[in-house]
């Protein structure tokens, strides 16, 4: 009997599987589930070295140790979702039926070929999605089987602490997996789609950013300390419509993409790149969902603490360095005193620059410097770093439409929540936040015209390469 030998990476270990050509699809999947230490309701994905997905079946191509597959469990904690047992042995039943028909007819009828093609197509679709909610398949506790219409079992909702610990476990479990080169390259582009990734996966991608820019080596950062730091940052973003952890990830990813796109690695020092990326990561820590104008008008604790001067941005900085003060999270602990002071000063300046009340002041400074910009000039470099963080912060509208549109909905929801509260408290309400006065198209158009375009116009003079990805999206949204 002919056997296949498959090499694959599971849970950070190189494994070897061997099975016969007549092995059923269910048996093959059980073999890989065992290797991945996964249960019967877990969903597996198999990737080629180039990142493309392959179907886990008896027809899986044999390979060598040098071209091993990557096996991942993509729904390890979704106990309510499983695979219909009928689908697992469909290949075997079809193969058996085909053999019987060939015995009688000497050939495979077209209808059998078509059925096999449909089953294979459905299996590929099923295995290519991370979430299976579109199928409406839920586990029925009473019958222990899957039913399209059975209700999802009621389980006690997780507390915020439990949800965070669940994300931490996922993050640490996934952090040892090798992120494909395809994902790494896509992560460097401004068209990256954040909506396709879960929180734990975003933490892994943030780890990739710090690693690929060689920050761990340059600043003697231990991996477990970086992971603790990233998780604490995640925990200090609130569950609000816009200024949440996903926004933090988007801003950091845009900064990371701009660093590569504009080749800032050859123009600025690594410590300056570290300041910009870490500032982007921390720039909205513990944002309450109400802006500075509200803080000042409502005389909140933050406004009183910071004397009405950028209360939110000062708070974000304070929270960031509060996290860094914990030894287990201190990614700066192995730096010299001078390096620490330099990074602290730079992060404070970059994060405070995200206060939109200072937008025109900073943009006008950059306009003045831009024609004679000198990367070796300390003042020029400082303004550029602020501009880069600001651009990353407001860059959603420069992304593809499918990525940008949901973010506008999130922002308007946060605006409306604030204006509703302001009306209840008798505080002034900004027209662009009032649900009774603002429309989605006008909000989008005004922001692009008066904020985004002027900022990107000046930046593209210094980095012409940015025009390629920015303006076709911006123009499309204004057409």
């Amino acid at each position: 009997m002919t056997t296949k030998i498959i090499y694959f990476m599971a849970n950070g270990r190189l494994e070897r599987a061997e099975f016969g050509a007549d092995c059923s699809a269910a048996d093959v999947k059980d073999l890989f589930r065992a290797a991945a230490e996964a249960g019967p309701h877990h969903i597996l994905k198999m990737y080629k070295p180039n990142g493309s997905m392959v179907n886990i079946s008896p027809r899986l191509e044999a390979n060598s140790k040098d071209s091993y597959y990557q096996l991942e469990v993509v729904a390890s904690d979704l106990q309510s979702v499983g695979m219909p047992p009928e689908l697992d042995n469909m290949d075997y039943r079809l193969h058996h039926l085909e053999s019987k028909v060939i015995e009688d007819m000497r050939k495979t009828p077209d209808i059998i070929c078509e059925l096999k093609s449909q089953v294979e197509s459905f299996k590929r679709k099923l295995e290519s999605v991370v979430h299976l909610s579109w199928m409406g398949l839920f586990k029925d506790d009473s019958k222990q089987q899957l039913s399209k219409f059975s209700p999802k079992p009621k389980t006690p909702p997780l507390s915020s602490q439990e949800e965070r610990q669940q994300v931490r476990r996922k993050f640490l479990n996934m952090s040892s997996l090798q992120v494909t080169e395809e994902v790494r390259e896509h992560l460097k582009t401004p068209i990256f789609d954040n909506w396709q990734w879960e929180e734990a996966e975003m933490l892994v991608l943030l780890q990739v950013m710090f690693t690929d820019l060689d920050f761990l080596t340059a600043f003697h950062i231990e991996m477990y300390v970086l992971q603790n730091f990233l998780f604490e940052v995640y925990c200090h973003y609130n569950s609000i419509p816009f200024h949440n952890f996903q926004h933090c990830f988007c801003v950091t990813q845009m900064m990371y993409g701009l660093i590569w796109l504009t080749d800032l690695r050859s123009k600025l020092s690594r410590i300056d790149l570290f300041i910009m990326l870490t500032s982007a990561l921390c720039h909205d820590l513990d944002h309450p969902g109400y802006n500075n104008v509200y803080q000042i008008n409502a005389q909140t604790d933050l406004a009183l603490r910071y004397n009405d001067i950028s209360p939110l941005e000062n708070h974000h900085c304070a929270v960031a360095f509060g996290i860094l003060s914990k030894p287990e999270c201190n990614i700066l602990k192995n730096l010299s005193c001078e390096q620490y002071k330099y990074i602290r000063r730079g992060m404070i300046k970059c994060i405070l620059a995200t206060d939109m009340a200072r937008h025109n002041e900073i943009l006008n400074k950059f306009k003045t410097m831009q024609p004679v910009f000198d990367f070796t000039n300390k003042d020029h470099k400082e303004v550029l770093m602020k501009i880069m963080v600001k651009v990353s912060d407001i860059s959603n509208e420069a992304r593809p439409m499918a990525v940008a549109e949901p973010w506008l909905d999130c922002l308007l929801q946060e605006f409306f929540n604030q204006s509703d509260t302001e009306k209840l408290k008798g505080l002034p309400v900004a027209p662009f936040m009032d649900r009774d006065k603002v429309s989605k198209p006008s909000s989008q158009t005004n922001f692009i015209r008066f904020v985004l375009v002027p900022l990107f116009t000046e930046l593209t003079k210094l980095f012409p390469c940015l025009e390629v990805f920015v303006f076709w999206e911006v123009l499309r949204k204004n057409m």
Side-chain angles (χ1 to χ4, degrees), residues 38-56:
H41 298 306
H42 292 174
I43 302 166
L44 304 180
K45 282 187 181 180
M46 184 81 84
Y47 298 93
K48 290 182 178 180
N50 64 7
S52 62
M53 192 177 300
V54 293
N55 187 28
I56 301 174

Side-chain angles (χ1 to χ4, degrees), residues 311-327:
L312 287 180
E313 289 71 26
N314 275 295
H315 179 59
H316 304 325
C317 288
V319 174
F321 283 93
I323 293 172
L324 288 167
S325 71
K326 300 178 181 180

Side-chain angles (χ1 to χ4, degrees), residues 35 60 108 123 146 150 157 161 165-166 209 238 246 262 276 297 324 342 361-362 390 394 417 422 427 442 446 453:
L60 193 62
T108 303
K123 286 174 65 181
L146 293 169
S150 59
Q161 182 64 23
Q165 288 307 313
Q166 189 178 73
M209 295 179 205
N238 297 316
Q246 273 197 315
T262 59
M276 291 192 295
N297 289 339
L324 288 167
Y342 184 83
E361 167 207 334
I362 295 170
K390 284 177 60 62
I394 63 173
N417 290 346
E422 287 169 332
L427 299 173
S442 65
N446 289 337
V453 169

Side-chain angles (χ1 to χ4, degrees), residues 269-287:
S269 66
R270 187 173 277 111
I271 198 168
D272 287 330
L273 300 181
F274 179 84
I275 287 170
M276 291 192 295
L277 194 76
T278 311
S279 297
L281 183 71
C282 299
H283 83 285
D284 270 331
L285 280 167
D286 197 35
H287 197 296

Side-chain angles (χ1 to χ4, degrees), residues 400-436:
M401 191 85 76
V403 181
E405 285 295 308
W407 276 118
L408 180 57
D409 293 331
C410 293
L411 182 61
L412 289 176
Q413 184 57 57
E414 199 167 290
F415 281 175
F416 296 158
N417 290 346
Q418 175 173 323
S419 64
D420 291 346
T421 302
E422 287 169 332
K423 289 175 185 178
L424 286 173
K425 292 188 174 184
L427 299 173
V429 178
F432 68 90
M433 288 188 169
D434 193 335
R435 69 171 74 244
D436 298 322

Side-chain angles (χ1 to χ4, degrees), residues 192-326:
F192 190 86
D193 185 355
N194 66 281
W195 300 111
Q196 296 181 1
W197 302 87
E198 295 181 357
E199 291 169 328
E201 294 170 326
M202 286 188 244
L203 285 168
V204 172
L205 294 177
L206 289 169
Q207 178 180 304
V208 168
M209 295 179 205
F210 276 77
T211 304
D212 283 5
L213 287 173
D214 204 27
F215 291 158
L216 276 71
T217 302
F219 305 116
H220 312 291
I221 302 171
E222 295 126 318
M223 180 60 78
Y224 80 94
V225 176
L226 175 63
Q227 291 171 343
N228 288 338
F229 171 69
L230 293 175
F231 178 69
E232 277 299 305
V233 166
Y234 158 74
C235 289
H236 282 80
Y237 275 92
N238 297 316
S239 297
I240 52 180
F242 184 85
H243 293 97
N244 49 40
F245 177 68
Q246 273 197 315
H247 170 67
C248 150
F249 173 80
C250 280
V251 175
T252 310
Q253 186 276 320
M254 179 59 77
M255 172 58 70
Y256 179 71
L258 290 175
I259 287 172
W260 287 97
L261 186 62
T262 59
D263 194 26
L264 279 179
R265 292 175 305 140
S266 67
K267 299 177 175 70
L268 297 178
S269 66
R270 187 173 277 111
I271 198 168
D272 287 330
L273 300 181
F274 179 84
I275 287 170
M276 291 192 295
L277 194 76
T278 311
S279 297
L281 183 71
C282 299
H283 83 285
D284 270 331
L285 280 167
D286 197 35
H287 197 296
Y290 296 85
N291 69 9
N292 280 332
V293 174
Y294 174 88
Q295 304 296 325
I296 294 168
N297 289 339
Q299 300 178 20
T300 65
D301 288 343
L302 288 180
L304 296 175
R305 182 178 305 147
Y306 296 110
N307 302 311
D308 295 350
I309 301 172
S310 302
L312 287 180
E313 289 71 26
N314 275 295
H315 179 59
H316 304 325
C317 288
V319 174
F321 283 93
I323 293 172
L324 288 167
S325 71
K326 300 178 181 180

